[in-house]
Amino acid sequence: MAYAATNPPALLSQSVGAAPALWIYSSTDVHTDVDASDYFSNGAALGMRVNDVVIVVKTTATIGATLHSVETVTAGGAASIRPAILA
């Protein structure tokens, strides 16, 4: 599937100081699709920044949630995320 700007991630908690912002994104896309390069074509316009945290919720069939972080925000405005590493 593909990202639609009409279904953007929602900001749950703004960044405070050096802490990252927290976003939630609900979609029928599986998390491996959402991890594609530049998936969020309007990430910069939304205010996404590198190291922000994104909770991705799959809304169909096998419902589940995965945790990710913003890896890049390009000069063109797209944002890419990667699975979060929990230690």
Side-chain angles (χ1 to χ4, degrees), residues 7-41:
N7 179 35
L11 180 63
L12 293 177
S13 177
Q14 294 180 349
S15 175
V16 177
L22 177 62
W23 299 82
I24 191 164
Y25 177 64
S26 297
S27 171
T28 58
D29 288 353
V30 295
H31 71 90
T32 52
D33 289 344
V34 178
D35 285 343
S37 257
D38 301 339
Y39 180 83
F40 295 106
S41 57

Side-chain angles (χ1 to χ4, degrees), residues 2-5 7-10 23-27 29 33-46 48 54-56 68-70 72-74 76-82:
Y3 173 70
N7 179 35
W23 299 82
I24 191 164
Y25 177 64
S26 297
S27 171
D29 288 353
D33 289 344
V34 178
D35 285 343
S37 257
D38 301 339
Y39 180 83
F40 295 106
S41 57
N42 61 344
L46 294 171
M48 296 178 101
V54 183
I55 300 168
V56 175
H68 305 258
S69 61
V70 177
T72 61
V73 179
T74 68
S80 299
I81 64 173
R82 65 175 181 263

